[in-house]
Amino acid sequence: MSLAARFSCLHDHDPEALSVDQARRFIHSQLRPVRAYERLALRSALGRVLARDVVAPFNVPAHDNSAMDGYAVRHAELSTRGATRLRVVGTVLAGQTFAGKPGVGQCVRIMTGALPPAGTDTVVIQEVVHVDGDSVLIPAGQRPGQNIRLAGEDLAAGQPALAAGRLIRPAELGLLASLGCAEVSVHRRLRVAFFSTGDELCSIGTPLADGEVYDSNRYTLFGMLARIGCEMLDLGVVRDDPGSLEAAFREAAAAADVVITSGGVSVGEADFVKGLMAQLGEVLFWKIAMKPGRPMAFGRIGGAAAADADGHSAWLFGLPGNPVAVMATFYQFVRDALYLLMGAQPLPGVPLLPAVCTVAIRKSTGRTEFQRGVLARVDGEWCVRPVGVQGSGILRSMSDANCFIVLEHDRGPVAAGDSVSVQVFDGLL
Ligand code: AMP
Ligand code: MG
């Protein structure tokens, strides 16, 4: 079935006014992870997606061990009424085992990470213990088993420690190392080709002629793709002429899993891009009910669906030309799509968090808006306000902002003091 037919099966509504959620759902329904894997040394796997479940080959930690510096004791020997005097018969350090077994009335000084000596079951932290020569006085009120980390409490032998589809972040690198994994199987990197379209565009390094603007979209795209860890093919600026555009599309589709273009998908008269996309592939042109970023194309370029291409095919995202619209559509549609193709499961979501909007915002129902906002803590409360200028061509609004203020499809105007949802640009990991 063609993409257009699948789309019309799922959506009985007008592609002229698709909601953000409908567009996102349709894109997700079409994509399958790239099925090619490689084994990598652990550090090189940062940012990749696990191809197979990783099962813990042994308990982590492998042995019970002390969580604190203190004294290893037998809990049954401690008095419940007053302090208990015990003789210290040795010390056990992390990485050591204590030879022998402390007898009745004895204890062992123990360091964090060390194995509790035979017969001991509780660690009393050194801060509460009174040292008296070669003895210690242990106060009453110690819990049995306290301050001992149990074997397998982090990861139990035979249990899946990480499932296929898990994105490898710093915590996963450490976790894999704790299992002794020197190499892991991961999905191969996605190959993403991108180019900018427009006769008015000039590449950096060349002086601007009259009427030209520097191409910034290839740089924001580069930055966003680099953060996701894609292999990139930058095909530069392509003139609004059918020959150059066709060559660029063919080169991109032959080399990449995904092709991202900017510009040329609106109704402007010089927009050949749409015609060529339609000719070289199977492409849906959408007017998404969102601001910024209304026009967008999604589909496949090349492959069996396109009789005159070379048999290669790639997913296509034809993003709008306006610089802010490029970033908004990338984050709202392309980012998840790339993670999906990379095999990530679940997708690394970006939470929507509530914040108090300190100023009124004009908004009409029937479209989702992604205003650029500044989120800050004011008097103990997270507050947000839109950055001054919100034009979709004004990239400074993205740079000055630290979040999107997401104004939902059905939402009307926002009054000062209302709660709004924000999507923070930078996460911790
Ligand atoms: P278009 O969608 O091609 O009609 O472009 C919409 C607006 O975005 C126009 O003002 C273009 O000059 C601008 N634009 C398109 N592509 C780029 C780009 N790569 N860098 C900066 N501005 C762009
Ligand atoms: Mg253009």
Side-chain angles (χ1 to χ4, degrees), residues 32-44:
R32 300 288 173 271
V34 168
R35 291 158 66 101
Y37 315 104
E38 57 188 326
R39 272 188 86 72
L40 292 181
L42 186 56
R43 279 184 185 164
S44 312

Side-chain angles (χ1 to χ4, degrees), residues 197-201 240 262-266 270-271 273 321:
T197 70
D199 283 340
E200 76 283 25
L201 301 180
D240 281 326
S262 70
V265 288
S266 56
D271 294 334
V273 189

Side-chain angles (χ1 to χ4, degrees), residues 94-106:
Q96 295 183 340
T97 48
F98 186 74
K101 183 175 176 183
V104 175
Q106 298 182 339

Side-chain angles (χ1 to χ4, degrees), residues 96-183:
Q96 295 183 340
T97 48
F98 186 74
K101 183 175 176 183
V104 175
Q106 298 182 339
C107 68
V108 173
R109 180 149 163 72
I110 189 165
M111 298 304 170
T112 304
L115 276 55
T120 64
D121 55 20
T122 298
V123 170
V124 181
I125 58 171
Q126 59 190 13
E127 289 81 356
V128 302
V129 166
H130 178 73
V131 181
D132 177 21
D134 64 357
S135 291
V136 286
L137 287 169
I138 309 276
Q142 310 301 325
R143 263 185 312 104
Q146 70 185 17
N147 300 322
I148 292 188
R149 302 188 282 225
L150 299 177
E153 76 172 24
D154 189 349
L155 299 167
Q159 297 294 318
L162 292 173
R166 181 64 75 90
L167 183 65
I168 303 178
R169 301 164 303 166
E172 283 74 23
L173 277 191
L175 199 146
L176 289 161
S178 76
L179 295 174
C181 294
E183 287 189 346

